Amino acid sequence: MTTDTASRTAAPRVLLNKVPEVTVWFWLIKILCTTVGESFADWINMQLGVGLLATAVIFTVVFAAVLTWQIRTNRYRPAAYWLTVVVVSVTGTLYTDILTDQLGVPLWISTSVFTVALAVVFGIWWTRERTLSIHSIVTRPREAFYWLAVLVTFALGTAAGDWTLELTGWSPGVSVLLPLALIAIIVSCWRFGANPVLAFWLAYILTRPLGANLGDWLASPKVPDQGLGLGTLVTSIIFLGAILATVVYLTVTKSDVIEGHEHRDRAAKYHQRSREWPMVGVMAASAIAAGILLNWASAQPHANAAAENEGPNPAEANVHLTSQQATSHFPKAEMARFRTLVTGMNTDVAKNDQAALNTKVNAYEKAWDDDEEKLKPLDQKAWTYIDSQNDGLFSSVRETKDPAAEKKAVAILLKTFG
């Protein structure tokens, strides 16, 4: 009775807690959502064919609608909450892709900007509410801060994960191991008394590159990317099905519901204040060790899959250019013509129409070769970059004839032409 009265005095519009309890179910479905965010974002951007910016605008509108539904609920409801997480994972991924592929912002800058943005969100949240605990999401302002933080963590995780791949040249399967190891260290620190709020948000950020790399590993072709070759559509369907099944289970059992107006900070199960700073030291040392590992890996000779199989040479094939960098020096009319041809290939791949795909690939190759003398002098580096992607397309269609590899090659070119 006393607690309820105090709650109403401090916050007139106290709600039931709007987020789930942090159990194994929470982390399982969070990783499923991040994997869908990566694979479904790639698939929907390729299928809509309206360009990355327009796709991001569409999903921003969808995110606003879903978030409105979530905010209007008066308690945690699994369907509304996890649908919002799925949509925000796709939206955050698209925002990072726009910075990298459309605006040409280097990944290290994106990672730094999102890190600062997250620190600002947490700083304002803490200054206003004096807590960052998700067990206290019982007011509209706290819920607004929470979802803003979630959006930034998805964008940050995407940028950091992509930056890691760019630095190291690791395959998606290998790249899963680093965030997985860091999460394991954080969990161990939490069990030994680390601050639970700090441990939660660090693990929350790291599940983004973990899920994204897992999605890439499942969707990427076996050759040359060392993936499982399921494709982005199959991967998205599998994980969306798993999310749906988990949400139905949680809705029925209510096993992740925090009962009551628990707006006050709860006593953490393993938290020991005397061990907070030592555990911070362990996590900081782990971050430094990860940085040293990435620095070492970036210094090692590594080539991407295209370079290992064909292309001018490994050094040229390993260059990464954004869409703007790859096309800005070429005539817009020519780039539009190539994009139209590649968009047609994308439609043929989706329809599994191999004959039509072969026809369009031949037409594209002829158009590209005819324009070589005109385009190559304008920007030899960009021309070589696109030409190496063309080699991957021609190889997948004429030699390996693997549908997953064809889809991947077409998606790469579609992304390059913007």
Side-chain angles (χ1 to χ4, degrees), residues 11-30:
R13 297 190 63 186
V14 171
L15 310 169
L16 293 177
N17 206 299
K18 299 292 294 292
V19 300
E21 179 63 279
V22 182
T23 65
V24 65
W25 291 109
F26 178 93
W27 294 113
L28 173 63
I29 199 168
K30 171 62 167 58

Side-chain angles (χ1 to χ4, degrees), residues 301-319:
H302 58 264
N304 63 14
E308 293 173 357
N309 291 282
E310 56 180 301
N313 60 59
E316 290 177 340
N318 199 45
V319 171

Side-chain angles (χ1 to χ4, degrees), residues 48-323:
L48 286 180
V50 296
L52 187 58
L53 182 59
T55 304
V57 171
I58 292 171
F59 266 88
T60 299
V61 174
V62 174
F63 171 53
V66 173
L67 183 60
T68 299
W69 178 31
Q70 159 65 21
I71 290 178
R72 285 184 174 180
T73 61
N74 61 358
R75 66 176 68 207
Y76 162 66
R77 299 187 186 279
Y81 177 87
W82 289 112
L83 178 60
T84 307
V85 173
V86 169
V87 174
V88 78
S89 70
V90 176
T91 308
T93 299
L94 291 171
Y95 289 167
T96 302
D97 288 345
I98 286 175
L99 288 176
T100 304
D101 299 326
Q102 296 284 355
L103 303 180
V105 178
L107 285 167
W108 72 267
I109 293 181
S110 299
T111 302
S112 302
V113 168
F114 287 131
T115 300
V116 172
L118 185 60
V120 170
V121 172
F122 281 151
I124 297 174
W125 183 358
W126 170 261
T127 300
R128 177 187 168 96
E129 303 295 333
R130 312 309 292 180
T131 178
L132 301 179
S133 172
I134 71 164
H135 293 119
S136 64
I137 310 300
V138 293
T139 66
R140 301 296 189 205
R142 291 183 181 183
E143 186 173 16
F145 281 121
Y146 173 76
W147 286 112
L148 181 58
V150 168
L151 177 62
V152 178
T153 60
F154 272 106
L156 171 59
T158 301
D162 289 348
W163 186 27
T164 299
L165 293 178
E166 183 179 77
L167 283 173
T168 63
W170 290 340
S171 67
V174 173
S175 62
V176 167
L177 300 178
L178 180 59
L180 187 63
L182 291 174
I183 290 173
I185 292 172
I186 291 171
V187 171
S188 298
C189 289
W190 168 68
R191 290 295 299 269
F192 279 98
N195 184 292
V197 176
L198 175 63
F200 169 82
W201 284 111
L202 289 176
Y204 198 94
I205 293 170
L206 286 169
T207 55
R208 179 64 186 93
L210 172 63
N213 293 338
L214 180 61
D216 283 340
W217 178 57
L218 293 171
S220 298
K222 297 178 181 179
V223 178
D225 295 339
Q226 302 176 30
L228 294 187
L230 297 180
T232 54
L233 177 59
V234 174
T235 301
S236 299
I237 291 174
I238 291 174
F239 278 76
L240 284 171
I243 291 170
L244 178 60
T246 307
V247 168
V248 170
Y249 170 80
L250 295 176
T251 302
V252 173
T253 63
K254 295 181 171 30
S255 59
D256 64 338
V257 174
I258 302 175
E259 296 293 348
H261 295 279
E262 299 188 22
H263 63 287
R264 60 193 180 280
D265 290 332
R266 307 186 325 164
K269 184 176 181 181
Y270 300 106
H271 185 207
Q272 298 183 43
R273 291 190 179 277
S274 61
R275 294 185 178 181
E276 277 192 5
W277 285 108
M279 292 301 101
V280 168
V282 172
M283 290 186 283
S286 301
I288 294 172
I292 293 173
L293 173 62
L294 293 175
N295 185 62
W296 172 83
S298 68
Q300 305 308 303
H302 58 264
N304 63 14
E308 293 173 357
N309 291 282
E310 56 180 301
N313 60 59
E316 290 177 340
N318 199 45
V319 171
H320 174 76
L321 300 178
T322 65
S323 175

